[in-house]
Each structure stands twice: as C-alpha cells, then as structure tokens.
C-alpha cells in the first residue's frame, strides 16, 4: 500500500477520516448523489487501499497511513450514524473528518472546500450534523448541477438520483480526478493549503 505522511506541515489541520457520501446498492450505483463514493473509490485506488465491510458500523472502511476512508452503507439520510461510530472508534474529531459529497448548487466540474456550515438541504449532511452534534467539520462539495441551473421540486429528486449522461461523462471523470487530488492535498499538506489551492482554481 502506498504510504502517506503521518503528519504534515499543518499538523492537526490534516484530516484523519475521509468520508464519501452515497447510497448503497446497484440501484444507486453511478448516480449523481453517489459522487462521494466515486471520489473515495479513486482515492483508494491511488493509495492501494482496499475497502472492507464493517457491519458493526454499517460502512465500508479502508485504512491508509495516518487515517481511514469511509463509505457509509446506511443510506444517505442516516449517514451520520456510521460516521459518528467510526470517528469515535478511531478517535477522529469532527474537525478531523473531511466529508466529500454532491452539491446541486454547483455546476458539474466545480469543487468547493468549506470548513463548516449548514446542511443547505442535503440530507446526508443534515444527518451528520445531528449525529456529530456539530456543523464544525470540513467538507468538499462536488458540483452536480445541470447546465440550466439548480432543478426544483420533483425534478430535483429525479436529477440527484439519476445517472450522468454520456455528454456529462468527460466532465465527471475530470472532476473525480480533481476531487481526489484535492483530498490527497489536504491529507498531505493540510486542509488550509488545499483550500487555498483548489478553491482558487475552481472559483476563478
């Protein structure tokens, strides 16, 4: 397994638990709502890390030097239960837990780091805030909005649970790679450095 630095120049600013949000099962595989899973799969591939199902926590967990990757199997609306259990066991505080998930307010291809904040309508993040008792955890938002902007009403559900079109595949593959780059930068160099680099790149 590829080793990664135990510590960084930013010290405690480096995340120890990396969480990708999504829904388990073939029905939801490759849907927009599962882009957090896709990013973690790419990170695990680069690290040479293998996911193992941990039924006691209802999640898939992979170890890397200095931390852990987690894909909750609790379904999106109950993601916080798995995150809280794994974080407690491995002594990763909310501030050391970096969550990767889809954001329908960002266009496909855009990334945005945040150190805290509300759920903004995302049920997975709402569950984490409830289970962790705090919104003070970093997150990497990965844009999934269509070209014509944020969908509304019933169209929202269909969009987030739908699969990416053939036309969207090049942008999808690019943003998965860039999101993996961003997370690994946070692990190796600290969250603040990663935010400075990747927020500037994607918001220019």
């Amino acid at each position: 397994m590829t080793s990664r630095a135990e510590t960084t120049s930013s010290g405690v600013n480096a995340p120890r638990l990396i969480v990708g949000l999504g829904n388990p099962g073939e029905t939801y595989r490759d849907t927009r709502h599962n882009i957090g899973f896709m990013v973690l799969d790419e990170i695990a591939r680069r690290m040479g890390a293998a996911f193992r199902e941990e039924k006691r926590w209802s999640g898939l967990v992979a170890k890397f030097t200095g931390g852990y990757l987690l894909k909750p199997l609790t379904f999106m609306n109950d993601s916080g239960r798995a995150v809280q259990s794994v974080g407690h066991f491995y002594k990763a505080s909310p501030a050391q837990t970096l969550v990767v998930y889809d954001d329908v307010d960002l266009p496909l291809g855009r990334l945005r780091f945040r150190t805290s904040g509300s759920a903004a309508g995302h049920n997975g993040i709402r569950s984490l805030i409830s289970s962790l008792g705090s919104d003070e955890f970093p997150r990497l938002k990965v844009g999934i909005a269509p070209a014509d902007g944020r969908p509304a009403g019933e169209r929202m559900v269909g969009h987030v649970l739908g699969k990416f079109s053939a036309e969207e595949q090049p942008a999808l593959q690019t943003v998965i790679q860039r999101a993996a780059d961003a997370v690994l930068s946070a692990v190796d160099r600290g969250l603040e450095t990663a935010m400075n680099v990747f927020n500037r790149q994607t918001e220019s």
Side-chain angles (χ1 to χ4, degrees), residues 112-194:
R112 183 172 296 163
F113 272 115
R114 287 291 182 264
T115 56
S116 63
S118 69
H122 194 286
N123 289 335
I125 297 299
R126 181 179 293 114
S127 175
L128 263 73
I129 292 172
S130 176
S131 293
L132 298 178
S134 172
D135 66 0
E136 296 289 323
F137 55 87
R139 65 282 308 261
L140 177 62
K141 304 178 181 185
V142 184
I144 62 164
D148 57 353
R150 176 189 174 102
E154 291 298 320
R155 185 166 167 256
M156 171 72 80
V157 176
H159 179 74
V160 300
L161 294 181
K163 297 194 174 184
F164 292 94
S165 68
E167 292 77 14
E168 291 173 316
Q169 286 300 318
L172 170 64
Q173 297 308 316
T174 296
V175 79
I176 288 173
Q177 296 299 319
R178 290 179 58 245
D181 290 343
V183 171
L184 294 178
S185 177
V187 170
D188 286 339
R189 304 170 62 195
L191 185 63
E192 184 176 351
T193 297

Side-chain angles (χ1 to χ4, degrees), residues 18-21 30-47 51 69-71 98-102 110-111 140-144 164 172-184:
I18 313 298
V19 179
L21 297 186
D30 299 328
T31 60
R32 293 179 178 86
H33 221 21
N34 274 34
I35 201 165
F37 278 11
M38 299 178 204
V39 173
L40 255 67
D41 286 340
E42 173 60 18
I43 293 169
R45 185 192 69 79
R46 294 192 194 183
M47 289 179 162
F51 283 102
L69 307 176
L70 169 64
K71 295 194 294 184
L98 174 59
V99 184
V100 184
Y101 65 100
D102 60 292
R110 293 279 294 276
L111 302 176
L140 177 62
K141 304 178 181 185
V142 184
I144 62 164
F164 292 94
L172 170 64
Q173 297 308 316
T174 296
V175 79
I176 288 173
Q177 296 299 319
R178 290 179 58 245
D181 290 343
V183 171
L184 294 178

